[in-house]
Amino acid sequence: MPEEELQSRGVDRYESGDLEGALRDFDDLLVRNPSLVTTRYNRSIIYAEQDQHAEAIADLDLVLQEVPENADVWHARAASQRQLGNFKAALSDINEA
């Protein structure tokens, strides 16, 4: 399946509540092309919703290397930092946003 279709299917699965299916699609895309920033961000959101905050932060770190000006990414990382009890890091991320 072409990347665009797989991305679209992953988003559709996410929106319909099929987080595992969406995660599989996003994982497959990132194996094919690790530089897909939007896909990596989308995967981080699923990780956070599944309380896999360390994994979410790892993805968000990579996204921020590409788009450090994106406030949404900083806020997402702050939320995961907070969930892990990393309050200083969360505050730092909010201040960056």
Side-chain angles (χ1 to χ4, degrees):
M1 179 178 293
E3 286 181 2
E4 290 177 7
E5 289 180 29
L6 195 53
Q7 174 70 22
S8 180
R9 186 176 76 179
V11 170
D12 289 344
R13 285 179 166 178
Y14 172 79
E15 289 174 349
S16 71
D18 180 8
L19 299 184
E20 290 303 320
L23 191 58
R24 281 191 306 273
D25 287 346
F26 296 151
D27 285 344
D28 186 24
L29 277 165
L30 290 167
V31 166
R32 294 181 194 187
N33 186 350
S35 66
L36 295 171
V37 175
T38 300
T39 301
R40 191 167 300 280
Y41 176 75
N42 289 342
R43 186 173 73 172
S44 77
I45 298 305
I46 294 172
Y47 282 148
E49 288 186 20
Q50 295 178 328
D51 291 326
Q52 296 178 359
H53 296 287
E55 291 84 351
I57 291 168
D59 270 352
L60 293 165
D61 287 346
L62 293 172
V63 172
L64 285 168
Q65 289 177 11
E66 299 299 320
V67 289
E69 69 284 351
N70 189 317
D72 290 337
V73 180
W74 288 104
H75 286 135
R77 193 172 79 167
S80 282
Q81 294 282 18
R82 183 179 44 108
Q83 289 298 319
L84 292 176
N86 300 331
F87 300 112
K88 287 183 181 179
L91 183 59
S92 176
D93 285 351
I94 291 295
N95 289 333
E96 284 293 327

